[in-house]
């Protein structure tokens, strides 16, 4: 019913005669009647709206609001001429401000409602070189249609805590030269964390609102007022976050971004060296070398695509392509992490070699992700269009169609299984190894910890911290640090500290440079670290490198 009603009022607004000088007032009346109608429909319901109905009401209410704002812009092009370059309308549903401005001599656009203690400020630096039309609206009761007492999304307890304000410009700048400043009077006086958000729509965001490009100006905000700074134009509001104590601040996000880029750069370098060393210094026909080469290639490709493509949101086709390839290679890397776990388990616990079955593992690890990516693309295309495959903020899987949970569920399954395998392997190793010395138990524990530290990067267990990151920002830091540097840790533990690779590298160097000696040539290592799993029963396992 709401869909049909909204479509009817959108059609009315678009059919109105824009040349009529009174048409703007008539459009305001149309919007007012729509708001009243929706309120009456909601009031008539004798039960609470379910989540789907709430989402429908929010989405189509904004559709009508957008149609009104488009009408206001088009109206202004015809009627704001000569000395009449601005207009302000203040009635019981909105404060509407329109300004026709010239870049050379225009002042800032400023609209204020003193009663509501709300204001919009658009700096003149954002105006076009010729002329610009700016429309600012403070809606007085539009927020009442968004079910204030209902959580904005099910998994969080976030509530709308302000009226809705809108800014629109024609021509719309590709990028604002200066942020728009919006001042809101909080509907609820509360000390908890506030979030500045804008309406993105349910086809792009699971809750309709997104915080991308907006932040709270903390120095000018308090429990009664919130000042927002945003780098784009749309509908703005303030959300009150009842779980705000565990949220990330803008400073946290900046730090995590720096950690991510530094860690990924180190990982890509480490992975390149891992591929080179395993290709030339190990037997590539052996299962362990094939597993680690395949894992390194998949993980390296996924991290490289993330590094260069995660922010390519300007071109939707490129964004979708980057997200699809990223999903494929990351899921392939998880498959190889699982194969690494199986290999470790079979060789240490079952004393069984998987050489004959490597072709099966190749088919599974490179083929299953293709099927999964294909299913994800089909779900997106069939439900909300292929564009809903990615989120609005990044070139990564969207929450809209729950596509992200396909990846998350697969990752969680692999890593939980690998944790069980690692626990079983450590138990087996500490049972087999009987260290000589006064405190056997402590040495076995030490061996178990070293095995765990060495194998965790290869088995990707730290990815599970990503599922815990919403609980506390400490998990977000742990997840970012360990997963951005995963490739470098693999290189360090399984190349730099690999006794077999070091020994073969020394022989290669001696063959090329006969006089070349590395360390004490008389010193022969009879020790194995956790990366030498293939020889784990042939060599005394207690002697991990310190």
């Amino acid at each position: 019913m709401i869909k049909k009603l909204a479509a009817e009022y959108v059609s009315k607004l678009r059919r109105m005669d824009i040349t009529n000088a009174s048409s703007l007032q008539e459009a305001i009346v149309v919007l007012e009647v729509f708001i009243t109608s929706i309120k009456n429909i909601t009031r008539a319901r004798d039960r609470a709206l379910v989540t789907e109905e709430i989402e429908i009401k929010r989405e189509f209410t904004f559709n009508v609001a957008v149609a009104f704002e488009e009408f206001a812009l088009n109206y202004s092009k015809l009627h704001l001429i000569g000395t009449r370059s601005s207009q302000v309308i203040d009635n019981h549903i909105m404060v509407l401000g329109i300004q026709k401005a010239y870049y050379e001599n225009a002042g800032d656009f400023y609209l204020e409602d003193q009663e509501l203690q709300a204001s919009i400020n658009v700096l003149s630096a954002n105006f076009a070189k010729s002329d610009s039309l700016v429309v600012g609206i403070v809606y007085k009761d539009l927020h009442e249609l968004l079910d204030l007492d209902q959580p904005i999304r099910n998994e969080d307890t976030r509530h709308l805590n302000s009226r809705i304000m809108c800014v629109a410009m024609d021509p719309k700048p590709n990028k604002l030269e200066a942020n728009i400043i919006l001042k809101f009077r909080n509907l609820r006086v509360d000390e908890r964390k506030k979030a500045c958000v804008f309406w993105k729509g349910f086809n792009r965001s699971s809750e309709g609102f997104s915080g991308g490009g907006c932040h709270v100006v903390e120095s000018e905000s308090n429990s009664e007022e919130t000042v927002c700074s945003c780098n784009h134009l749309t509908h703005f509001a303030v959300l009150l976050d009842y779980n705000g104590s565990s949220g990330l601040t803008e400073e946290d996000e900046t730090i995590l971004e720096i950690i991510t880029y530094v860690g990924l750069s180190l990982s890509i370098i480490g992975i390149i060296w891992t591929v080179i060393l395993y290709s030339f210094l190990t037997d590539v026909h052996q299962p362990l070398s094939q597993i680690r080469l395949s894992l390194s290639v998949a993980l390296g490709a996924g991290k490289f695509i993330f590094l260069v493509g995660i922010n390519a949101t300007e071109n939707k086709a490129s964004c979708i392509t980057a997200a699809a390839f990223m999903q494929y290679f990351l899921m392939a890397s998880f498959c190889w992490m699982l194969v690494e776990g199986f290999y470790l388990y079979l060789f240490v616990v079952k004393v069984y070699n998987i050489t004959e079955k490597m072709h099966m593992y190749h088919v599974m690890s490179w083929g299953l992700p293709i099927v999964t990516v294909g299913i994800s693309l089909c779900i997106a295309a069939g439900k909300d269009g292929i564009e809903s495959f990615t989120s609005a903020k990044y070139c990564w899987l969207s929450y809209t169609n729950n596509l992200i949970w396909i990846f998350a569920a697969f990752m969680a399954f692999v890593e939980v299984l690998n944790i069980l395998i690692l626990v079983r392997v450590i138990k087996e190793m500490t049972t087999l190894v009987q260290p000589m010395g006064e405190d056997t138990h402590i040495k076995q524990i030490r061996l178990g910890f070293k095995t765990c530290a060495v194998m965790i990067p290869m088995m990707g267990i730290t990815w599970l911290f990503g599922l815990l990151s919403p609980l506390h920002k400490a998990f977000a830091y742990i997840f970012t640090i360990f997963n951005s540097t995963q490739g470098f840790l693999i290189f360090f533990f399984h190349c730099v500290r690999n006794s077999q690779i070091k020994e073969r590298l020394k022989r290669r160097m001696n063959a090329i440079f006969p006089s070349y000696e590395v360390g004490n040539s008389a010193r022969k290592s009879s020790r194995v670290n956790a990366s030498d799993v293939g020889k784990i029963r042939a060599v005394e396992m207690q002697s991990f490198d310190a």
Side-chain angles (χ1 to χ4, degrees):
M1 183 176 182
I2 293 175
K3 287 183 182 180
K4 184 178 179 181
L5 184 66
E8 178 186 341
Y9 279 87
V10 168
S11 178
K12 281 184 180 180
L13 289 167
R14 290 176 177 169
R15 291 199 313 266
M16 292 184 69
D17 183 7
I18 205 168
T19 62
N20 191 331
S22 63
S23 59
L24 182 59
Q25 290 290 350
E26 293 172 7
I28 293 174
V29 172
V30 169
L31 181 61
E32 180 182 358
V33 173
F34 170 77
I35 292 174
T36 302
S37 300
I38 295 296
K39 285 181 180 179
N40 290 337
I41 291 172
T42 304
R43 212 175 284 126
R45 298 293 296 270
D46 54 6
R47 63 179 178 84
L49 294 176
V50 299
T51 302
E52 183 179 358
E53 292 172 324
I54 293 170
E55 291 183 355
I56 289 172
K57 188 168 72 168
R58 289 181 188 143
E59 181 171 12
F60 286 92
T61 296
F62 276 108
N63 286 351
V64 176
V66 169
F68 171 78
E69 290 141 20
E70 291 175 352
F71 178 89
L73 278 173
N74 292 328
Y75 171 90
S76 304
K77 292 178 187 178
L78 290 179
H79 297 283
L80 290 190
I81 56 175
T83 57
R84 191 186 177 204
S85 60
S86 64
Q87 184 175 359
V88 176
I89 298 175
D90 187 349
N91 64 17
H92 61 281
I93 69 164
M94 71 171 66
V95 179
L96 168 64
I98 306 172
Q99 178 178 322
K100 192 168 189 178
Y102 294 89
Y103 179 83
E104 293 81 1
N105 55 13
D108 299 342
F109 174 88
Y110 186 77
L111 180 67
E112 181 180 23
D113 186 310
Q114 293 183 349
E115 180 184 353
L116 301 179
Q117 295 181 321
S119 65
I120 300 171
N121 188 14
V122 182
L123 298 183
S124 59
N126 295 308
F127 299 158
K129 296 298 182 181
S130 54
D131 62 299
S132 291
L133 281 168
V134 186
V135 171
I137 304 175
V138 179
Y139 289 104
K140 295 183 179 182
D141 57 358
L142 191 63
H143 63 284
E144 295 177 6
L145 303 186
L146 306 183
D147 293 274
L148 180 63
D149 295 328
Q150 296 287 340
I152 291 298
R153 59 185 182 191
N154 295 333
E155 65 268 26
D156 290 337
T157 49
R158 302 209 300 176
H159 295 260
L160 192 64
N161 197 39
S162 75
R163 288 175 169 80
I164 305 295
M165 293 197 284
C166 167
V167 183
M169 289 179 65
D170 187 277
K172 184 177 180 179
N174 294 326
K175 181 180 178 181
L176 293 178
E177 297 297 327
N179 281 13
I180 294 170
I181 305 299
L182 306 108
K183 181 180 178 181
F184 297 88
R185 179 73 175 180
N186 297 332
L187 296 174
R188 301 178 182 184
V189 177
D190 203 296
E191 297 292 342
R192 281 170 284 201
K193 182 182 176 182
K194 314 296 189 305
C196 294
V197 297
F198 66 97
W199 177 255
K200 196 71 177 178
F202 286 108
N203 62 329
R204 298 288 186 87
S205 169
S206 61
E207 62 178 9
F209 289 97
S210 170
C214 289
H215 66 272
V216 176
V217 182
E218 299 288 353
S219 60
E220 300 179 30
S221 303
N222 52 51
S223 61
E224 297 181 352
E225 295 180 345
T226 302
V227 177
C228 297
S229 178
C230 296
N231 63 7
H232 47 75
L233 307 169
T234 186
H235 295 88
F236 302 96
V238 174
L239 294 184
L240 180 63
D241 192 345
Y242 282 78
N243 295 324
S245 58
S246 62
L248 294 171
T249 65
E250 186 178 2
E251 182 181 3
D252 289 325
E253 292 178 353
T254 301
I255 293 171
L256 289 173
E257 185 175 359
I258 293 171
I259 292 172
T260 298
Y261 281 103
V262 172
L264 287 177
S265 300
L266 288 173
S267 281
I268 291 171
I269 294 171
I271 286 172
I272 291 172
W273 276 108
T274 300
V275 171
I276 292 172
L277 293 175
Y278 265 87
S279 297
F280 292 99
L281 298 178
T282 67
D283 184 355
V284 294
H285 299 293
Q286 292 299 313
L288 190 60
S289 294
Q290 290 187 44
I291 293 170
R292 293 184 176 173
L293 278 170
S294 298
L295 171 58
S296 296
V297 169
L299 192 62
K303 290 182 180 296
F304 178 77
I305 293 170
F306 179 96
L307 194 63
V308 301
I310 191 68
N311 292 315
T313 53
E314 298 83 3
N315 186 312
K316 202 62 183 178
S318 300
C319 188
I320 293 170
T321 302
F325 275 104
M326 202 186 311
Q327 182 189 7
Y328 172 77
F329 282 113
L330 288 179
M331 294 193 76
S333 69
F334 282 121
C335 288
W336 285 112
M337 290 175 200
L338 184 60
V339 174
E340 173 84 23
F342 280 150
Y343 181 87
L344 187 65
Y345 176 79
L346 291 174
F347 206 94
V348 175
V349 179
K350 298 297 184 181
V351 199
Y352 176 74
N353 202 319
I354 66 170
T355 305
E356 302 82 8
K357 296 187 177 182
M358 277 309 299
H359 66 281
M360 180 183 71
Y361 292 115
H362 278 284
V363 171
M364 179 196 75
S365 299
W366 295 116
L368 179 61
I370 294 177
V371 176
T372 308
V373 173
I375 291 173
S376 300
L377 288 168
C378 288
I379 291 173
K383 191 170 184 181
D384 295 313
I386 194 67
E387 290 188 355
S388 66
F389 181 73
T390 60
S391 69
K393 191 175 181 180
Y394 299 113
C395 296
W396 181 232
L397 299 178
S398 173
Y399 288 88
T400 306
N401 299 318
N402 295 319
L403 297 180
I404 188 65
W405 296 110
I406 296 176
F407 177 83
F410 182 79
M411 177 269 289
F413 169 76
V414 170
E415 301 315 331
V416 168
L417 197 57
N418 272 351
I419 288 174
L420 297 176
I421 290 172
L422 188 58
V423 170
R424 181 67 180 87
V425 166
I426 291 174
K427 181 180 178 182
E428 183 76 12
M429 290 178 65
T430 54
T431 301
L432 288 173
V433 174
Q434 299 297 329
M436 302 297 294
E438 57 222 15
D439 200 334
T440 298
H441 186 60
I442 290 177
K443 289 184 178 179
Q444 287 179 324
I445 292 175
R446 185 172 174 231
L447 172 62
F449 274 117
K450 286 187 175 181
T451 304
C452 189
V454 169
M455 292 309 300
I456 277 178
M458 187 62 74
M459 300 172 79
I461 293 171
T462 51
W463 278 83
L464 288 176
F465 284 104
L467 299 178
L468 301 175
S469 58
L471 301 179
H472 195 278
K473 65 181 179 181
F475 292 118
Y477 275 91
I478 294 171
F479 172 74
T480 303
I481 291 170
F482 282 102
N483 286 280
S484 65
T485 59
Q486 185 181 2
F488 178 78
L489 293 175
I490 290 173
F491 167 70
F492 179 76
F493 284 119
H494 300 277
C495 291
V496 175
R497 291 173 59 86
N498 186 309
S499 58
Q500 181 185 24
I501 287 179
K502 287 193 291 186
E503 187 64 29
R504 290 187 177 183
L505 178 62
K506 183 174 72 173
R507 291 202 299 267
R508 288 284 183 93
M509 296 301 294
N510 283 333
I512 298 172
F513 307 104
S515 61
Y516 178 80
E517 292 186 1
V518 179
N520 185 2
S521 60
R523 180 175 175 268
K524 300 293 183 182
S525 173
S526 62
R527 303 184 299 177
V528 61
N529 65 43
S531 65
D532 299 320
V533 178
K535 298 179 184 280
I536 209 161
R537 289 184 175 273
V539 185
E540 193 177 13
M541 288 181 293
Q542 80 230 39
S543 51
F544 279 82
D545 291 338

